[in-house]
Structures are given as structure tokens and as C-alpha cells.
Amino acid sequence: MSSVGLSDIRRTTSFRLALLFLGLFGTASLTLFGFMYWQTAGYVSRGVDGWLKNEMASRVATHSSERLQQLNERAALDPDGHRPMALFAESGQWLAGTPAALPSPLPPMDRPFRFTLPRVGEAAAPFRGTLHRLASGEILLVAQDMREIHQFRDLLLGAMASGGLVVLVLGMTGAAIVGAGALGRIDGVTRAIEHVIEGDLSKRLPSRGTAGDLNRLIHVVNRMLDEIERLVHQVKGVTDDIAHDLRTPLTRLLAGLERVHRRGGTAEEYGAAVEDAIVETRGILVTFGALLRIAEVEAGARRAGFILLDLTTLAADAADFYEPLAERKGVALSLEIPPVPPMMPGDPSLLFEAIGNLVDNAIKFTPPKGQVVLRVIAGDDYLGFEVSDSGPGIPPAERTAVLRRFHRAEKSRHTAGCGLGLSLVAAVAKLHGLTLTIEDVDPGCRVRLWREQAADLPRQPALDVTEKIP
């Protein structure tokens, strides 16, 4: 496995998305923390201002003689001066309470303000206070030490900053881990794709279950690779089959022409050789035409020409077309259709060709005095076609193989044909979304082309009320 570098991780979509969400979360957290700090600081400030207002009102309401005594008693109870209260003369001279000096310049009366007071052996301490001028002209000061409140704010800011730093570190670590994991998966997918490009079609993209967008995409790509591998093997098989099955007629054609050329026969012999060559060439052209027809159907190029078809009319046309062939061989061909014609979207010429191939094969392999039945099947939730015969049937082991190009069962080796009829039927069935099944009827074989009946098409009665047409 290749080493994962930091620059590679930074380029991954997962890492960038993680950073994006980290940025969004960080912005939201910063906004929340700022709001909390603003609310907390405002609440504390309002609490201090409320206490200052209440204390000032209480002192102002006290008689002047009692006020001096209360201020001195309060100063004795608060030696550290955390909540100083003092009375000053109109000139600014201290009279009673906590020893202090009026701030200079003098701030507005009855409005909270900030100021500092010196401390012995310490730096000047921050205070918040309010002033009130009494009727006598004296000035009353009520204040509170703000150091503990400032320490609380600093602690709150520090906690928020530490939490933000932890979130940032964890977020970056998580983003790196997610990016490294995504990069590892992408490397695995890339290596698998390189193997496929080099020709190993059996290689599949590594997957971890079915959850997640990437896993769903991998499953779709793997299904596509399965189909590509199947098609490649099918093309290879078709190429081998073409080389094998066309070798014999081409060899006969070449041998016949060389034989007449060596002997230097009469004009009649040359004419006969030309006639034989024409027959062989036509047979080869028929084979290639069938191959091209199957390729066209499998490409789905005819799907645009779908129309709503009456299956009974289609089956009746096929029965009429193959009735003379059945009579010449002494085989009874019958048609069974439901009283209400079932409808299905499709290509009429392709479906006719598929039904015709099934009927033609049934007549071909049914012995004289046998029977071939073409049915239009229509139930509550299905519809389609069915062709049954009283011939030798198809062994279960060969029912899948007979759908491949050029494959012919052992019982049909000496029967005319090129082994492409059922391949064309399978291609037409796939194009129309039909299921192709082969079953035994003892004796004989039954081939069905059917599909589930669409909800928007009229429902048809079941097959047990069919009308038989000899």
C-alpha cells in the first residue's frame, strides 16, 4: 500500500468537508460563547448596579446623624474595602466611612461609573460605584470592588478559549482521520480499476457493506463490471463460435470451387459448383444477418418504436404464417387466446419474430402427427405467450446453454439451422422486460415469454376461459 501524505489528505473531499463542518461548528460555537459571555457579563453588571442603587437609596433615606454612625460601622466591618461607602464634604474632604478620595474629575451624580482605588502593597483595584449629592451639599459614595467579577470573566473566557482549542484539535484530528480513511479507500478503488484497465475483468472494487454514498456507488460500479465481464466473455464466445460454425460452410465452399477448378470440368459442372457456392454463401449471409439482428436488439435501439400491442392479434398472425409449414410436416398447430385481448407495449415486428422462432422450432422438432400449441396467457397480474409441443424436449442441463449463440442440443445436430433462433428470442425478451422460461410438459417442451401486468393496463381474465382456435 502506498504511503499516505499530508498533502494527499488535504486534497480529499472528506477532509475538506470535515474542515467545512468544523468551520461551521466553530462559527456557531463562537457565536454561542460570545452570546453567553455577553449575557453573563451583563447580568453581573446589572446585579452590581442594582446593589449600588439599593444601598444608595438606603443610605440617603437615613437621618444624617445615624448616617455617619452607620458608615463608620460599615467601614469597621469591611476592613479590606471590598464595598467602600464614604461621605464627603461639598469641597471633597472625607468625613466618614471607608477612607477614600473622590475621583477626579467628578463623574455625573446618580449614574454608575468605573474608577480605581489605590491598595497598600498592591496595584490599584478596579471599582464600580455611584455618587449622590445630599440636600446639605455633601456627597455620598457607594462602590464595590470588581476584581472578583473580573476574575470570573477571565475564567469564563479562559474556559471558552480552552474548549474552543480542544474542539479545534479534535476537529482537525478527526478530519485527518476521515481524510486518511477516505484516501485509503480511494487508493484501493484506484488499484482495482487499474487491474481492470490492464485486462483483469474479474477484479472488483473493494466495498464495506452497503451503507454510505461511496459504498452505493461501488456496488453500482461492481454490477457494471459484472455486466461488462459477461458481455466480454459473451463476445469472445461468439467469436469462437463464429470461427467454429462458419469454418465448415467456408471449407465446403472452398473445397467445391477448388475441385471444379482442378478437374476443369464441363460448363454444367461449373454451373453446379456455382449453384452450390451460392447456397453456401446465402447460408453464411443468413447467419451473419441473424447475428446483426441480435446485436441490434441487444443494443436496445428498437425501444423507441414501442407501441401498445394486441397480443391476440400478434399470436394469430404468427399462427397463420406458420400454419402451412405445420401442414406440410403433418403437425397440428392450434392457437388459444383469451376472450378479452390483453395489451402490452412493444415492437410488433420483434415480438412477431420471437414468437415465430418459438413456433418454428416447435414445428421443426415435433414429429409428424404431433401437436404444437401457441397460447396467449393473461392472468390477474401477468401476461405473455406460451408455445408447447409434443417433441423430444430440451434436457434441463441444456436449457441455459441453448440461449447462447450457435449452441445446438445433441438431438438437433443434424437439423437445419444455425443455432441463433433462441438467442434472438432471449434478446427480444430482455428488450421487452419479458421472462423466458423453458419447462417440460412430458412429452415435449413448453417455452413461456411473460411479464407482470402493468398497473395502468387493463386487467385480463385468467387463462382458464380461453377460446381455442384450431
Side-chain angles (χ1 to χ4, degrees), residues 113-306:
F113 65 96
R114 296 177 182 178
F115 65 102
T116 58
L117 289 176
R119 293 292 185 182
V120 179
E122 298 180 6
F127 282 82
R128 186 174 181 86
T130 182
L131 296 173
H132 179 75
R133 189 179 296 275
L134 302 174
S136 62
E138 296 173 337
I139 300 175
L140 180 61
L141 170 67
V142 178
Q144 178 171 331
D145 192 341
M146 299 296 290
R147 284 180 296 181
E148 292 184 358
I149 295 177
H150 288 178
Q151 290 174 0
F152 171 74
R153 292 180 179 177
D154 294 341
L155 180 63
L156 182 61
L157 284 175
M160 292 180 178
S162 300
L165 181 61
V166 171
V167 169
L168 178 62
V169 172
L170 291 178
M172 292 294 293
T173 303
I177 293 174
V178 171
L183 186 60
R185 295 203 63 190
I186 293 174
D187 284 343
V189 170
T190 302
R191 288 195 299 271
I193 293 176
E194 288 175 349
H195 284 296
V196 173
I197 294 174
E198 292 170 358
D200 185 5
L201 295 180
S202 63
K203 200 69 175 178
R204 295 295 178 267
L205 308 187
S207 174
R208 298 177 184 175
T210 57
D213 297 337
L214 183 58
N215 284 323
R216 292 201 302 271
L217 178 61
I218 286 176
H219 280 288
V220 172
V221 173
N222 283 339
R223 290 201 303 270
M224 179 186 68
L225 292 176
D226 291 338
E227 183 67 13
I228 291 175
E229 183 181 19
R230 184 189 68 81
L231 293 175
V232 169
H233 287 310
Q234 182 176 338
V235 170
K236 183 178 182 300
V238 170
T239 303
D240 295 340
D241 291 337
I242 290 176
H244 180 271
D245 284 68
L246 294 185
R247 183 184 303 166
T248 300
L250 289 175
T251 301
R252 288 199 303 265
L253 175 62
L254 180 61
L257 294 175
E258 288 182 343
R259 184 170 54 252
V260 173
H261 179 69
R262 286 196 309 270
R263 293 177 179 176
T266 62
E268 290 77 9
E269 291 176 339
Y270 276 110
V274 171
E275 289 294 333
D276 292 340
I278 291 174
V279 171
E280 294 290 352
T281 303
R282 283 176 176 172
I284 294 172
L285 291 176
V286 168
T287 299
F288 277 108
L291 289 172
L292 293 175
R293 183 74 163 164
I294 294 173
E296 178 189 7
V297 173
E298 287 183 340
R302 300 288 293 269
R303 195 183 300 274
F306 278 18

